C-alpha cells in the first residue's frame, strides 16, 4: 500500500477543505468514476443491472437523502417509503400530463414536489423531537400510502390501481418502458447519483451543513449562537425529501416500470433505507453509499450462495438475511454508531501510519 | 441608533469606558412558584468587564439567559444600545451581536474544533443555499474568508494543534477554550461568559484570564462574566454585580463590593459552596 500524505502540503484554505485532501484518495475516486462511466456500461447485462447496479444507485440517493435529515440534522424519520411514493406518483402524474417534457425534468420536479411535502410533514419537528417525531413521520408514511391507494386521481383511474411508466427517451435513448437497455437504466441513475452526491457533499461541508449538525449536536446552544432552528430543520427536511423523491421517481420509472404503492413503498422501505444509513454511517455521504451497497448486495449474495450453491429453500435464506441484518444493526449501534464509514476511516488511519505504529 | 444613555468613566488602570451598552431594568423572572430573579436592575458599559457573582442558585445563569434571549423575563425590560429590546428569539439576539459560552460546555460534540468555531460565524454567512449546493462564487469565497478569520482566532487561542480534532475527544480545559473561540468567531459587541474558569487548574485559569483580558483589550469587546473564584473576579473585572437568592445585594467596583457588609454576610454567613 502506498498510502501516504507526506509531502502533500496545503497552501490554501480551499485546498485544505476539499473532499479528498489526500492525493491517493483523490486518485482512487477518479478511478472509480472512470470505471463507473467508462467500463461498467459496456459490460453490464440485465441481471446485473436489475439485481445490483440500478437498485444500488437508487437506494444510494435515498440513503444520502435520509442521512441528511437523520445523520446530519438529527431528525429521525420513518417516512422514507412514503416520501419515495410521493416522488413516484409526482413523476407519474407529470409524465402522463406533459408527455413532451423530458423525463429528467420530471424526475427533478418530482423531487421538488416531495421537498414541499417533506417540509409540510417536517413542521412538527419544530415542536417535537426524538421518539415523538419518529412516530409523526411514521404516521406520514401510512397516510401517504393510504392516500395514493385511495384517491384514483393519483393513478389516473387505472383499473389495477397501479401506475406504470410510459416510454421516455433521453438523447434518443430509451430510459423508461419495457424495452429499455440495461446500460441506459444504469447510466441515467448513475448520473443522478453522481450529481446529487456532489451537491450533498457541498451542502454538508458549508454553512447549511454546519447549521444542521449544530442542531443535531445541541439544538439549544445552536440557537443561542445564531442558528435559526426553523430554517435549519425545514431546509434539512426539504433537501432530504428532494433526494428521497428523486429516488422514488427513478425507482418507479426506471427500475420497476410499474408500481403498486403499498408493495413498493411500504414501511419496509423506510426501515431498509434507515438500516442502510445506520450500517453505512450516520452523517457520512460515503457511508450512505456503503450502506446501500451492502444491503443491496447481501440478499443477492445469500441467494447465490445458499439457494444457488447449497440448495437451501428461498424462504430460509430470506430469514437468514433478516437475522444477519438485525444482528449487524445491533452490533453497529452499540459498537460503532458511525458505521462502516468509520471503520473505513480507522483502517485508513492505520494504513497511513503503517508500518510504523506511532 | 447608537445613542448612549449615560456617560462613560475611566477605570483605576486608566482605561476609557464608554456609555451604557446594555441595561437591565427591574427584571423579574419566575419559574412557576420559584422566583429566580427579583426586580434586578444594572447596566453594562461599552468596553468594560462586568462580573456577576453570588452563591450557588443566586440566579446568575438565569440572568445571562435573560440577556441572551433564552428566558423571557416575567417583568422588566432589557435595553440594548439605548433602545428597549422587543421580545426576540435567541438567534435574533445573536444577530444583534451578543455571543456567549455556557456553564456546562455546550459544544457541538460531533464536529471538529474548526467546524465548531466556523459555526460561530453563522450570523455573518450570507450565501444562499443554491450557491452552497453548487459550491459556486459567493459560497466558496465566503467559506475561505471566514476560514481566514477563524484561523486568526485559532492562533489567538493557541489551539492550532487540535484544529481537526472532534471536540468530544478534547480534555475539559481545551473544550472551554474552543467554546470561547466559537463565541469570539461571531465578533460580538457583548460577550457573555458563564463560569469560564470553572473546574480548571491554576495554570489553565491564568491562560483563560489572559485571553479574556486580551479580547477586551484588542477587540474592545464588552464582557459580562460569571465567576466563583474571587481572586479572578477582583483581578479581571471593572465592576461587579452581586446576587443572592435572586436579589441584587451589591454593585460597584471590586473594592467597593469587597467592603460591602451584605456581600460579606452572603458569602461568609450562608456559604452554599
Ligand atoms: N428552567 C428552570 N426551571 C425552573 N427553575 C429554574 C430554571 N432555571 C433556573 N431555575 C432556578 O432558578 C434559580 C437560579 O438558578 P441559576 O442557575 O440562575 O443560579 P446560578 O446563580 O447560576 O447558580 P450556580 O452558581 O450554581 O450556577 C435556582 O433556584 C434554579 O433552580
Ligand atoms: Mg450558573
Amino acid at each position: 500500500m502506498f498510502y501516504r500524505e507526506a509531502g502533500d502540503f496545503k497552501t490554501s484554505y480551499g485546498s485544505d477543505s476539499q473532499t479528498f485532501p489526500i492525493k491517493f484518495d483523490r486518485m482512487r475516486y477518479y478511478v472509480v468514476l472512470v470505471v463507473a462511466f467508462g467500463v461498467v456500461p459496456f459490460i453490464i447485462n440485465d441481471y446485473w443491472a436489475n439485481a445490483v447496479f440500478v437498485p444500488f444507485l437508487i437506494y444510494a440517493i435515498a440513503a444520502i437523502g435520509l442521512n441528511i435529515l437523520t445523520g446530519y440534522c438529527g431528525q429521525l424519520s420513518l417516512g422514507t417509503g412514503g416520501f419515495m411514493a410521493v416522488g413516484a406518483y409526482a413523476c407519474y402524474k407529470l409524465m402522463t400530463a406533459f408527455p413532451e417534457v423530458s423525463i429528467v425534468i420530471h424526475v427533478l420536479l418530482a423531487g421538488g414536489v416531495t421537498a414541499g411535502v417533506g417540509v409540510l410533514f417536517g413542521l412538527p419537528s419544530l415542536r417535537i423531537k426524538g421518539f415523538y417525531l419518529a412516530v409523526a413521520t411514521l404516521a406520514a408514511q401510512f397516510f401517504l400510502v393510504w392516500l395514493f391507494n385511495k384517491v384514483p386521481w393519483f393513478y389516473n383511474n387505472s383499473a389495477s390501481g397501479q401506475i406504470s411508466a410510459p416510454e421516455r427517451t433521453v438523447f434518443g435513448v430509451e430510459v423508461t418502458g419495457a424495452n429499455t437497455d440495461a446500460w441506459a437504466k444504469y447510466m441515467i441513475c448513475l448520473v443522478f447519483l453522481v450529481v446529487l452526491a456532489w451537491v450533498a457533499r457541498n451542502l454538508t461541508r458549508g454553512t447549511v451543513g454546519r447549521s444542521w449538525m449544530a442542531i443535531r449536536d445541541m439544538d439549544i446552544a445552536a440557537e443561542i449562537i445564531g442558528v435559526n432552528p426553523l430554517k435549519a430543520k425545514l431546509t434539512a427536511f426539504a433537501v432530504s425529501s428532494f433526494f428521497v423523491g428523486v429516488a422514488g421517481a427513478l425507482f418507479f420509472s426506471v427500475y420497476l416500470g410499474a408500481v403498486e404503492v403499498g408493495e413498493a413503498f411500504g414501511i419496509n422501505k423506510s426501515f431498509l433505507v434507515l438500516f442502510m444509513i445506520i450500517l453505512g454511517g450516520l452523517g457520512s455521504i460515503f457511508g450512505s453509499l456503503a450502506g446501500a451497497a451492502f444491503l443491496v448486495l447481501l440478499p443477492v449474495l445469500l441467494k447465490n450462495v445458499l439457494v444457488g450453491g447449497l440448495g437451501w429453500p428461498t424462504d430460509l435464506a430470506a430469514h437468514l438475511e433478516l437475522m444477519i441484518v438485525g444482528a449487524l444493526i445491533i452490533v453497529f449501534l452499540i459498537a460503532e454508531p458511525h458505521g462502516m464509514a468509520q471503520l473505513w476511516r480507522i483502517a485508513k488511519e492505520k494504513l497511513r501510519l503503517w508500518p510504523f505504529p506511532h | 441608533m447608537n445613542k448612549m444613555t449615560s456617560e462613560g468613566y475611566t477605570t483605576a488602570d486608566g482605561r476609557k469606558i464608554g456609555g451604557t451598552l446594555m441595561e437591565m431594568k427591574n427584571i423579574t423572572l419566575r419559574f412557576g412558584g420559584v422566583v429566580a430573579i427579583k426586580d434586578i436592575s444594572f447596566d453594562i458599559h461599552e468596553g468594560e468587564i462586568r462580573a456577576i457573582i453570588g452563591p450557588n442558585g443566586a440566579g446568575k445563569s438565569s440572568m445571562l439567559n435573560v440577556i441572551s434571549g433564552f428566558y423571557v423575563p416575567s417583568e422588566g425590560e432589557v435595553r440594548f444600545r439605548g433602545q428597549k429590546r422587543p421580545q426576540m428569539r435567541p438567534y435574533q439576539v445573536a444577530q444583534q451581536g451578543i455571543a456567549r459560552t455556557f456553564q456546562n460546555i455546550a459544544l457541538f460534540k460531533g464536529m471538529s474544533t474548526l467546524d465548531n468555531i466556523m459555526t460561530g460565524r453563522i450570523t455573518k454567512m450570507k450565501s444562499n443555499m443554491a450557491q452552497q449546493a453548487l459550491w459556486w462564487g459567493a459560497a466558496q469565497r465566503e467559506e475561505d474568508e471566514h476560514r481566514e478569520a477563524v484561523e486568526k482566532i485559532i492562533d489567538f487561542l493557541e489551539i492550532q494543534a487540535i484544529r481537526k480534532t472532534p471536540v468530544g475527544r478534547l480534555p475539559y480545559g481545551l473544550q472551554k477554550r474552543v467554546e470561547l473561540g466559537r463565541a469570539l468567531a461571531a465578533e460580538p459587541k457583548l460577550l457573555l461568559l458563564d463560569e469560564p474558569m470553572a473546574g480548571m487548574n491554576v495554570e489553565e485559569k491564568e491562560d483563560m484570564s489572559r485571553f479574556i483580558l486580551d479580547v477586551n483589550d484588542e477587540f474592545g469587546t464588552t464582557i459580562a462574566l460569571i465567576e466563583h473564584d474571587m481572586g479572578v473576579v477582583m483581578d479581571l473585572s471593572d465592576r461587579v454585580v452581586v446576587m443572592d437568592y435572586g436579589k441584587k445585594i451589591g454593585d460597584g467596583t471590586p473594592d467597593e463590593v469587597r467592603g460591602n457588609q451584605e456581600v460579606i454576610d452572603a458569602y461568609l454567613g450562608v456559604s452554599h459552596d
Side-chain angles (χ1 to χ4, degrees), chain A residues 47-48 50-52 55 294-306 321:
Chain A
Y47 173 76
W48 280 97
N50 289 328
V52 177
F294 182 77
L295 285 188
V296 167
L297 280 173
L298 182 69
V300 175
L301 196 77
L302 288 181
K303 200 170 164 213
N304 280 325
V305 173
L306 300 178
E321 182 199 333

Side-chain angles (χ1 to χ4, degrees), chain B residues 31 34 36 54-63 71 103 194-195 226 228:
Chain B
F31 296 104
V34 182
N56 291 120
K60 308 179 295 295
S61 295
S62 301
M63 184 57 88
Y71 290 160
Q103 184 168 350
D194 196 345
E195 306 202 13
I226 297 175
H228 278 296

Side-chain angles (χ1 to χ4, degrees), chain A residues 13-14 16 198-199 202-203 205 207-208 210-211 213-214 217-218 220-221 223-228 235 239, chain B residues 70 89-91 94 100 106 108-111 115 118-119 125 129 132-135 143-144 147-148 151 164:
Chain A
Y13 297 132
D16 188 43
W198 175 73
V199 165
N202 289 343
L203 286 174
R205 70 171 152 170
T207 310
V208 195
R210 282 190 296 265
S211 69
M213 290 186 275
D217 284 349
M218 189 148 297
I220 290 173
E223 174 161 15
I224 286 178
I225 69 164
V227 176
N228 180 344
T235 52
V239 174
Chain B
F70 184 59
R89 306 280 313 175
Y91 73 90
R100 69 173 290 180
F108 307 125
K109 292 230 159 48
M111 299 160 72
D115 277 340
M118 283 293 274
T119 311
M125 304 274 188
M129 241 177 58
Q132 290 176 50
L134 305 176
W135 208 244
E143 188 82 3
D144 283 358
R147 175 74 188 272
E148 209 173 315
E151 287 292 338
K164 298 270 169 97

